[in-house]
């Protein structure tokens, strides 16, 4: 039985991505992995989901995303802005005003996240039941 040689691919230096699949989040060095991390970590997903409701000033957004520290929100917004998902607009007023809003790309990503959030919220009774069963099984050990 003859086997075909593996298809030749050229990797971009340091990217971890091949020409066959421009970006592969499963490749260790692919930049899509870092972007996915920014979108799916706790504060990134909650921030994007909140920004679907409109433009927010920093402290408004911090109140909307309960539990996030000032430092974590600033880091999250910086990462999402760098990835092109959030637009930051500083207005030269006294006091200074900074508004945050989704970019068109951020809007697309946030809408997908909102669908996932709705699914998780709708299925919480099953999740809680599964947790109870798991805890009961593992408490007996």
């Amino acid at each position: 039985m003859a086997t075909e040689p593996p298809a030749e691919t050229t990797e971009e230096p340091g990217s971890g991505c091949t020409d066959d699949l421009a970006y592969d989040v499963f490749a260790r060095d692919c930049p899509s992995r870092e972007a996915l991390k920014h979108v799916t970590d706790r504060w990134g997903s909650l921030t994007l989901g909140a920004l679907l409701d409109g433009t927010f000033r920093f402290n408004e957004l911090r109140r909307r995303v309960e539990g996030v520290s000032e430092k974590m929100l600033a880091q999250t917004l910086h990462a999402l802005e760098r990835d092109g998902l959030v637009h930051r607009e500083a207005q030269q007023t006294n006091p200074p005003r900074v508004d945050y809003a989704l970019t068109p790309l951020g809007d697309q990503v946030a809408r997908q996240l909102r669908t996932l959030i709705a699914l998780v919220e709708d299925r919480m009774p099953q999740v809680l039941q599964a947790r109870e069963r798991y805890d009961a099984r593992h408490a007996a050990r």
Side-chain angles (χ1 to χ4, degrees), residues 118-138:
L119 175 65
V120 169
E121 289 175 341
D122 288 347
R123 299 296 186 252
M124 278 312 296
Q126 291 104 317
V127 170
L128 295 174
Q129 289 172 354
R131 287 179 182 176
E132 287 176 10
R133 288 190 303 270
Y134 179 91
D135 292 345
R137 280 194 316 268
H138 288 84

Side-chain angles (χ1 to χ4, degrees), residues 44-64:
S45 59
L46 293 174
T47 300
L48 288 168
L51 285 169
L52 261 177
D53 294 334
T55 300
F56 287 87
R57 294 175 76 173
F58 185 88
N59 284 323
E60 292 172 332
L61 192 54
R62 188 165 171 226
R63 284 189 295 274
R64 176 73 174 106

Side-chain angles (χ1 to χ4, degrees), residues 37-48 65-68 72 76:
K37 177 184 159 207
H38 295 156
V39 168
T40 60
D41 77 6
R42 174 177 24 174
W43 304 122
S45 59
L46 293 174
T47 300
L48 288 168
V65 182
E66 293 181 13
V68 67
M72 283 308 305
T76 298

